[in-house]
Amino acid sequence: MLSSHPRLHVPDETGFLPFLETDPRADLDPTAVSSLLQRIGERNRFWDGLVSDEAAFYARLPVPTLPFVLDALYRLQIPPDTPRWGDKTPSYVQYIAQIQAIFPRAQFIHLIRDGRDAALSARAKWGQAKPYMDLSDLLRNWVRNVQAGRSTGHQLGPQSYYEVRYETLITDPAGTLQALCTYLGETYDPA
């Protein structure tokens, strides 16, 4: 839904942000950026090979640090001239603090679905691949994720953390998205 907004785009899940082991403040030389691009490609095959000319990519970086490298990569995945991008990787709820260290001005949206529905959906998706995951495990994981998001969100405050109930989004999409756009500082667009 957010990707339908003309100023926002959220590409597919990435899965690599909190695992890059790179100081967000450190200046990176071309070799370090090349190594970073390789690690990202190893963690997400859809991001492997995004940069065909690493020297040109490096030269275009406003500042050769992790946040600018990531911003440049995300911009390769979103429509041109889109001012803002996001990430929707569900496991990132456990890593909000690490991601906030990379992007201090980031705004986090914690989409919370009813635990029973979330567990049933996960079991339907992963049941064959992970038969050891029973509903009890999935519900405990849901509790851990909700608690982690809320705990970190409480520390960040309302300017950086916003909760959305999935069921409210489904029953009142316009109202929920209007409130979400207000939180993001964006004008609501019915699209």
Side-chain angles (χ1 to χ4, degrees), residues 82-101:
T82 303
R84 298 178 75 178
W85 53 263
D87 196 307
K88 61 182 181 178
T89 305
S91 64
Y92 285 177
V93 74
Q94 294 285 337
Y95 303 98
I96 293 173
Q98 291 91 324
I99 295 167
Q100 202 266 340

Side-chain angles (χ1 to χ4, degrees), residues 136-152:
S136 178
D137 293 325
L138 294 168
L139 286 169
R140 278 193 297 278
N141 187 56
W142 178 86
V143 169
R144 277 190 302 275
N145 285 336
V146 170
Q147 288 175 339
R150 287 182 165 169
S151 174
T152 307

